[in-house]
mmCIF file of all heavy atoms in Angstrom:
data_model
loop_
_atom_site.group_PDB
_atom_site.id
_atom_site.type_symbol
_atom_site.label_atom_id
_atom_site.label_comp_id
_atom_site.label_asym_id
_atom_site.label_seq_id
_atom_site.Cartn_x
_atom_site.Cartn_y
_atom_site.Cartn_z
ATOM 1 N N TYR Y 156 19.878 -8.448 -16.889
ATOM 2 C CA TYR Y 156 21.149 -8.670 -17.563
ATOM 3 C C TYR Y 156 21.124 -8.290 -19.036
ATOM 4 O O TYR Y 156 22.000 -8.683 -19.801
ATOM 5 C CB TYR Y 156 21.578 -10.130 -17.383
ATOM 6 C CG TYR Y 156 21.895 -10.469 -15.946
ATOM 7 C CD1 TYR Y 156 21.234 -11.505 -15.291
ATOM 8 C CD2 TYR Y 156 22.846 -9.745 -15.233
ATOM 9 C CE1 TYR Y 156 21.513 -11.818 -13.975
ATOM 10 C CE2 TYR Y 156 23.131 -10.047 -13.909
ATOM 11 C CZ TYR Y 156 22.470 -11.080 -13.284
ATOM 12 O OH TYR Y 156 22.751 -11.383 -11.976
ATOM 13 N N ALA Y 157 20.109 -7.520 -19.418
ATOM 14 C CA ALA Y 157 20.027 -6.968 -20.778
ATOM 15 C C ALA Y 157 20.176 -8.053 -21.840
ATOM 16 O O ALA Y 157 21.104 -8.048 -22.640
ATOM 17 C CB ALA Y 157 21.086 -5.877 -20.978
ATOM 18 N N MET Y 158 19.218 -8.987 -21.834
ATOM 19 C CA MET Y 158 19.188 -10.085 -22.802
ATOM 20 C C MET Y 158 18.031 -9.845 -23.778
ATOM 21 O O MET Y 158 16.938 -10.382 -23.597
ATOM 22 C CB MET Y 158 18.986 -11.421 -22.089
ATOM 23 C CG MET Y 158 19.993 -11.752 -21.022
ATOM 24 S SD MET Y 158 19.557 -13.325 -20.180
ATOM 25 C CE MET Y 158 20.957 -13.534 -19.071
ATOM 26 N N PRO Y 159 18.217 -9.026 -24.803
ATOM 27 C CA PRO Y 159 17.083 -8.647 -25.655
ATOM 28 C C PRO Y 159 16.400 -9.806 -26.370
ATOM 29 O O PRO Y 159 15.165 -9.844 -26.456
ATOM 30 C CB PRO Y 159 17.694 -7.646 -26.640
ATOM 31 C CG PRO Y 159 19.167 -7.871 -26.581
ATOM 32 C CD PRO Y 159 19.455 -8.346 -25.206
ATOM 33 N N LYS Y 160 17.161 -10.752 -26.886
ATOM 34 C CA LYS Y 160 16.546 -11.884 -27.591
ATOM 35 C C LYS Y 160 15.726 -12.727 -26.631
ATOM 36 O O LYS Y 160 14.606 -13.139 -26.954
ATOM 37 C CB LYS Y 160 17.623 -12.728 -28.271
ATOM 38 C CG LYS Y 160 18.316 -12.036 -29.429
ATOM 39 C CD LYS Y 160 19.359 -12.938 -30.067
ATOM 40 C CE LYS Y 160 20.049 -12.225 -31.218
ATOM 41 N NZ LYS Y 160 21.105 -13.089 -31.826
ATOM 42 N N MET Y 161 16.274 -12.977 -25.446
ATOM 43 C CA MET Y 161 15.558 -13.772 -24.453
ATOM 44 C C MET Y 161 14.329 -13.027 -23.965
ATOM 45 O O MET Y 161 13.249 -13.615 -23.804
ATOM 46 C CB MET Y 161 16.502 -14.054 -23.274
ATOM 47 C CG MET Y 161 16.012 -15.103 -22.301
ATOM 48 S SD MET Y 161 16.119 -16.780 -22.969
ATOM 49 C CE MET Y 161 14.395 -17.112 -23.306
ATOM 50 N N LEU Y 162 14.474 -11.735 -23.747
ATOM 51 C CA LEU Y 162 13.347 -10.925 -23.278
ATOM 52 C C LEU Y 162 12.217 -10.925 -24.298
ATOM 53 O O LEU Y 162 11.045 -11.078 -23.938
ATOM 54 C CB LEU Y 162 13.807 -9.494 -22.999
ATOM 55 C CG LEU Y 162 12.736 -8.529 -22.480
ATOM 56 C CD1 LEU Y 162 12.144 -9.020 -21.164
ATOM 57 C CD2 LEU Y 162 13.317 -7.127 -22.314
ATOM 58 N N ALA Y 163 12.553 -10.793 -25.573
ATOM 59 C CA ALA Y 163 11.525 -10.792 -26.622
ATOM 60 C C ALA Y 163 10.758 -12.107 -26.642
ATOM 61 O O ALA Y 163 9.528 -12.126 -26.773
ATOM 62 C CB ALA Y 163 12.176 -10.532 -27.973
ATOM 63 N N LEU Y 164 11.469 -13.223 -26.475
ATOM 64 C CA LEU Y 164 10.819 -14.532 -26.478
ATOM 65 C C LEU Y 164 9.905 -14.703 -25.261
ATOM 66 O O LEU Y 164 8.801 -15.245 -25.373
ATOM 67 C CB LEU Y 164 11.880 -15.637 -26.495
ATOM 68 C CG LEU Y 164 12.660 -15.784 -27.803
ATOM 69 C CD1 LEU Y 164 13.862 -16.719 -27.605
ATOM 70 C CD2 LEU Y 164 11.763 -16.312 -28.915
ATOM 71 N N LEU Y 165 10.355 -14.238 -24.111
ATOM 72 C CA LEU Y 165 9.561 -14.369 -22.889
ATOM 73 C C LEU Y 165 8.317 -13.479 -22.928
ATOM 74 O O LEU Y 165 7.239 -13.875 -22.479
ATOM 75 C CB LEU Y 165 10.413 -14.025 -21.671
ATOM 76 C CG LEU Y 165 11.561 -15.010 -21.366
ATOM 77 C CD1 LEU Y 165 12.462 -14.464 -20.267
ATOM 78 C CD2 LEU Y 165 11.008 -16.380 -20.972
ATOM 79 N N LEU Y 166 8.457 -12.281 -23.481
ATOM 80 C CA LEU Y 166 7.288 -11.410 -23.625
ATOM 81 C C LEU Y 166 6.295 -11.997 -24.610
ATOM 82 O O LEU Y 166 5.080 -11.942 -24.396
ATOM 83 C CB LEU Y 166 7.732 -10.014 -24.094
ATOM 84 C CG LEU Y 166 8.539 -9.186 -23.088
ATOM 85 C CD1 LEU Y 166 8.997 -7.881 -23.733
ATOM 86 C CD2 LEU Y 166 7.732 -8.903 -21.831
ATOM 87 N N GLU Y 167 6.806 -12.600 -25.675
ATOM 88 C CA GLU Y 167 5.937 -13.243 -26.667
ATOM 89 C C GLU Y 167 5.174 -14.409 -26.043
ATOM 90 O O GLU Y 167 4.034 -14.695 -26.412
ATOM 91 C CB GLU Y 167 6.773 -13.736 -27.847
ATOM 92 C CG GLU Y 167 5.967 -14.347 -28.973
ATOM 93 C CD GLU Y 167 6.846 -14.804 -30.127
ATOM 94 O OE1 GLU Y 167 8.064 -14.534 -30.105
ATOM 95 O OE2 GLU Y 167 6.320 -15.447 -31.046
ATOM 96 N N LYS Y 168 5.802 -15.055 -25.065
ATOM 97 C CA LYS Y 168 5.163 -16.192 -24.392
ATOM 98 C C LYS Y 168 4.178 -15.738 -23.306
ATOM 99 O O LYS Y 168 3.552 -16.562 -22.645
ATOM 100 C CB LYS Y 168 6.246 -17.099 -23.794
ATOM 101 C CG LYS Y 168 5.730 -18.428 -23.255
ATOM 102 C CD LYS Y 168 6.861 -19.359 -22.875
ATOM 103 C CE LYS Y 168 6.341 -20.606 -22.153
ATOM 104 N NZ LYS Y 168 5.381 -21.369 -22.952
ATOM 105 N N GLY Y 169 4.034 -14.441 -23.124
ATOM 106 C CA GLY Y 169 3.089 -13.938 -22.137
ATOM 107 C C GLY Y 169 3.723 -13.362 -20.892
ATOM 108 O O GLY Y 169 3.039 -13.146 -19.887
ATOM 109 N N GLY Y 170 5.024 -13.127 -20.943
ATOM 110 C CA GLY Y 170 5.709 -12.560 -19.790
ATOM 111 C C GLY Y 170 5.145 -11.203 -19.402
ATOM 112 O O GLY Y 170 4.826 -10.390 -20.273
ATOM 113 N N ASP Y 171 5.031 -10.979 -18.094
ATOM 114 C CA ASP Y 171 4.464 -9.738 -17.575
ATOM 115 C C ASP Y 171 5.571 -8.875 -16.971
ATOM 116 O O ASP Y 171 6.073 -9.173 -15.893
ATOM 117 C CB ASP Y 171 3.409 -10.055 -16.507
ATOM 118 C CG ASP Y 171 2.740 -8.813 -15.938
ATOM 119 O OD1 ASP Y 171 3.071 -7.703 -16.388
ATOM 120 O OD2 ASP Y 171 1.895 -8.970 -15.040
ATOM 121 N N PRO Y 172 5.951 -7.772 -17.636
ATOM 122 C CA PRO Y 172 7.028 -6.932 -17.110
ATOM 123 C C PRO Y 172 6.632 -6.144 -15.866
ATOM 124 O O PRO Y 172 7.480 -5.533 -15.224
ATOM 125 C CB PRO Y 172 7.341 -5.992 -18.282
ATOM 126 C CG PRO Y 172 6.070 -5.924 -19.056
ATOM 127 C CD PRO Y 172 5.444 -7.283 -18.927
ATOM 128 N N ASN Y 173 5.347 -6.155 -15.521
ATOM 129 C CA ASN Y 173 4.892 -5.458 -14.315
ATOM 130 C C ASN Y 173 4.935 -6.342 -13.061
ATOM 131 O O ASN Y 173 4.677 -5.868 -11.954
ATOM 132 C CB ASN Y 173 3.460 -4.945 -14.511
ATOM 133 C CG ASN Y 173 3.387 -3.861 -15.571
ATOM 134 O OD1 ASN Y 173 4.276 -3.037 -15.688
ATOM 135 N ND2 ASN Y 173 2.321 -3.884 -16.362
ATOM 136 N N LYS Y 174 5.262 -7.607 -13.246
ATOM 137 C CA LYS Y 174 5.370 -8.528 -12.111
ATOM 138 C C LYS Y 174 6.512 -8.069 -11.193
ATOM 139 O O LYS Y 174 7.558 -7.631 -11.670
ATOM 140 C CB LYS Y 174 5.656 -9.928 -12.637
ATOM 141 C CG LYS Y 174 5.579 -11.039 -11.626
ATOM 142 C CD LYS Y 174 4.182 -11.562 -11.500
ATOM 143 C CE LYS Y 174 4.164 -12.815 -10.627
ATOM 144 N NZ LYS Y 174 2.804 -13.235 -10.322
ATOM 145 N N THR Y 175 6.308 -8.170 -9.878
ATOM 146 C CA THR Y 175 7.341 -7.723 -8.945
ATOM 147 C C THR Y 175 8.024 -8.898 -8.256
ATOM 148 O O THR Y 175 7.440 -9.964 -8.097
ATOM 149 C CB THR Y 175 6.741 -6.798 -7.859
ATOM 150 O OG1 THR Y 175 5.699 -7.489 -7.165
ATOM 151 C CG2 THR Y 175 6.183 -5.520 -8.481
ATOM 152 N N ASN Y 176 9.279 -8.663 -7.826
ATOM 153 C CA ASN Y 176 10.021 -9.668 -7.062
ATOM 154 C C ASN Y 176 9.889 -9.375 -5.570
ATOM 155 O O ASN Y 176 9.063 -8.556 -5.163
ATOM 156 C CB ASN Y 176 11.488 -9.716 -7.516
ATOM 157 C CG ASN Y 176 12.215 -8.390 -7.268
ATOM 158 O OD1 ASN Y 176 11.751 -7.523 -6.512
ATOM 159 N ND2 ASN Y 176 13.359 -8.230 -7.905
ATOM 160 N N MET Y 177 10.702 -9.996 -4.737
ATOM 161 C CA MET Y 177 10.555 -9.836 -3.293
ATOM 162 C C MET Y 177 10.925 -8.435 -2.810
ATOM 163 O O MET Y 177 10.614 -8.067 -1.670
ATOM 164 C CB MET Y 177 11.388 -10.890 -2.554
ATOM 165 C CG MET Y 177 12.877 -10.780 -2.726
ATOM 166 S SD MET Y 177 13.764 -12.146 -1.902
ATOM 167 C CE MET Y 177 13.449 -11.769 -0.169
ATOM 168 N N HIS Y 178 11.579 -7.662 -3.656
ATOM 169 C CA HIS Y 178 11.924 -6.279 -3.319
ATOM 170 C C HIS Y 178 10.958 -5.288 -3.972
ATOM 171 O O HIS Y 178 11.227 -4.084 -3.981
ATOM 172 C CB HIS Y 178 13.355 -5.969 -3.759
ATOM 173 C CG HIS Y 178 14.378 -6.913 -3.205
ATOM 174 N ND1 HIS Y 178 14.655 -6.997 -1.853
ATOM 175 C CD2 HIS Y 178 15.172 -7.834 -3.818
ATOM 176 C CE1 HIS Y 178 15.590 -7.914 -1.657
ATOM 177 N NE2 HIS Y 178 15.907 -8.440 -2.819
ATOM 178 N N GLN Y 179 9.861 -5.818 -4.497
ATOM 179 C CA GLN Y 179 8.850 -5.015 -5.192
ATOM 180 C C GLN Y 179 9.415 -4.330 -6.436
ATOM 181 O O GLN Y 179 8.925 -3.278 -6.855
ATOM 182 C CB GLN Y 179 8.227 -3.974 -4.247
ATOM 183 C CG GLN Y 179 7.405 -4.569 -3.120
ATOM 184 C CD GLN Y 179 6.254 -5.448 -3.649
ATOM 185 O OE1 GLN Y 179 5.429 -4.985 -4.422
ATOM 186 N NE2 GLN Y 179 6.224 -6.701 -3.233
ATOM 187 N N GLU Y 180 10.427 -4.941 -7.030
ATOM 188 C CA GLU Y 180 11.015 -4.406 -8.257
ATOM 189 C C GLU Y 180 10.336 -5.024 -9.472
ATOM 190 O O GLU Y 180 10.122 -6.243 -9.517
ATOM 191 C CB GLU Y 180 12.508 -4.741 -8.330
ATOM 192 C CG GLU Y 180 13.336 -4.136 -7.219
ATOM 193 C CD GLU Y 180 14.724 -4.748 -7.175
ATOM 194 O OE1 GLU Y 180 14.848 -5.980 -7.325
ATOM 195 O OE2 GLU Y 180 15.696 -3.992 -6.988
ATOM 196 N N THR Y 181 10.015 -4.205 -10.442
ATOM 197 C CA THR Y 181 9.538 -4.703 -11.725
ATOM 198 C C THR Y 181 10.740 -4.904 -12.648
ATOM 199 O O THR Y 181 11.876 -4.553 -12.305
ATOM 200 C CB THR Y 181 8.571 -3.697 -12.380
ATOM 201 O OG1 THR Y 181 9.304 -2.501 -12.721
ATOM 202 C CG2 THR Y 181 7.415 -3.359 -11.453
ATOM 203 N N SER Y 182 10.471 -5.419 -13.827
ATOM 204 C CA SER Y 182 11.545 -5.594 -14.808
ATOM 205 C C SER Y 182 12.152 -4.262 -15.211
ATOM 206 O O SER Y 182 13.343 -4.169 -15.504
ATOM 207 C CB SER Y 182 11.006 -6.320 -16.043
ATOM 208 O OG SER Y 182 10.584 -7.619 -15.715
ATOM 209 N N LEU Y 183 11.336 -3.211 -15.219
ATOM 210 C CA LEU Y 183 11.854 -1.885 -15.577
ATOM 211 C C LEU Y 183 12.808 -1.371 -14.506
ATOM 212 O O LEU Y 183 13.813 -0.718 -14.827
ATOM 213 C CB LEU Y 183 10.686 -0.916 -15.785
ATOM 214 C CG LEU Y 183 11.024 0.436 -16.433
ATOM 215 C CD1 LEU Y 183 11.689 0.248 -17.793
ATOM 216 C CD2 LEU Y 183 9.766 1.286 -16.580
ATOM 217 N N HIS Y 184 12.513 -1.659 -13.233
ATOM 218 C CA HIS Y 184 13.436 -1.278 -12.161
ATOM 219 C C HIS Y 184 14.830 -1.880 -12.391
ATOM 220 O O HIS Y 184 15.831 -1.164 -12.366
ATOM 221 C CB HIS Y 184 12.926 -1.789 -10.805
ATOM 222 C CG HIS Y 184 11.928 -0.909 -10.136
ATOM 223 N ND1 HIS Y 184 10.607 -1.267 -10.014
ATOM 224 C CD2 HIS Y 184 12.043 0.296 -9.528
ATOM 225 C CE1 HIS Y 184 9.951 -0.321 -9.357
ATOM 226 N NE2 HIS Y 184 10.796 0.644 -9.057
ATOM 227 N N VAL Y 185 14.860 -3.193 -12.559
ATOM 228 C CA VAL Y 185 16.165 -3.859 -12.649
ATOM 229 C C VAL Y 185 16.888 -3.496 -13.942
ATOM 230 O O VAL Y 185 18.117 -3.456 -13.982
ATOM 231 C CB VAL Y 185 16.029 -5.389 -12.494
ATOM 232 C CG1 VAL Y 185 15.509 -5.737 -11.116
ATOM 233 C CG2 VAL Y 185 15.153 -6.016 -13.575
ATOM 234 N N LEU Y 186 16.133 -3.219 -14.991
ATOM 235 C CA LEU Y 186 16.747 -2.813 -16.260
ATOM 236 C C LEU Y 186 17.456 -1.476 -16.117
ATOM 237 O O LEU Y 186 18.535 -1.275 -16.684
ATOM 238 C CB LEU Y 186 15.675 -2.717 -17.348
ATOM 239 C CG LEU Y 186 16.150 -2.269 -18.732
ATOM 240 C CD1 LEU Y 186 17.027 -3.338 -19.369
ATOM 241 C CD2 LEU Y 186 14.966 -1.948 -19.628
ATOM 242 N N CYS Y 187 16.844 -0.548 -15.365
ATOM 243 C CA CYS Y 187 17.348 0.824 -15.266
ATOM 244 C C CYS Y 187 18.388 1.011 -14.164
ATOM 245 O O CYS Y 187 18.817 2.149 -13.917
ATOM 246 C CB CYS Y 187 16.187 1.784 -15.027
ATOM 247 S SG CYS Y 187 14.982 1.855 -16.375
ATOM 248 N N SER Y 188 18.817 -0.056 -13.516
ATOM 249 C CA SER Y 188 19.655 0.062 -12.320
ATOM 250 C C SER Y 188 21.149 0.042 -12.576
ATOM 251 O O SER Y 188 21.941 0.128 -11.634
ATOM 252 C CB SER Y 188 19.298 -1.057 -11.325
ATOM 253 O OG SER Y 188 17.976 -0.891 -10.863
ATOM 254 N N THR Y 189 21.558 -0.059 -13.815
ATOM 255 C CA THR Y 189 22.989 -0.074 -14.140
ATOM 256 C C THR Y 189 23.186 0.378 -15.579
ATOM 257 O O THR Y 189 22.274 0.269 -16.399
ATOM 258 C CB THR Y 189 23.582 -1.487 -13.958
ATOM 259 O OG1 THR Y 189 24.952 -1.487 -14.377
ATOM 260 C CG2 THR Y 189 22.825 -2.515 -14.775
ATOM 261 N N THR Y 190 24.377 0.874 -15.868
ATOM 262 C CA THR Y 190 24.705 1.281 -17.235
ATOM 263 C C THR Y 190 25.454 0.186 -17.993
ATOM 264 O O THR Y 190 25.861 0.394 -19.128
ATOM 265 C CB THR Y 190 25.567 2.556 -17.225
ATOM 266 O OG1 THR Y 190 26.767 2.302 -16.482
ATOM 267 C CG2 THR Y 190 24.828 3.720 -16.586
ATOM 268 N N ALA Y 191 25.647 -0.967 -17.365
ATOM 269 C CA ALA Y 191 26.367 -2.063 -18.026
ATOM 270 C C ALA Y 191 25.638 -2.507 -19.291
ATOM 271 O O ALA Y 191 24.407 -2.550 -19.324
ATOM 272 C CB ALA Y 191 26.505 -3.246 -17.067
#
């Protein structure tokens, strides 16, 4: 949902953008899936 402030805080806390969901999507997948 393109939340830059929230994303920065979660990455600072150790968030792993390479983690996958049940569809094997990473954070980069879901980020690139819409122009909204």
Side-chain angles (χ1 to χ4, degrees):
Y156 294 123
M158 304 176 176
K160 292 181 180 178
M161 192 73 254
L162 181 60
L164 290 169
L165 293 172
L166 292 176
E167 183 179 353
K168 189 171 172 58
D171 182 1
N173 294 323
K174 189 87 172 172
T175 58
N176 62 16
M177 65 184 292
H178 305 295
Q179 294 302 303
E180 298 167 318
T181 66
S182 296
L183 192 57
H184 276 110
V185 296
L186 179 69
C187 297
S188 295
T189 176
T190 59

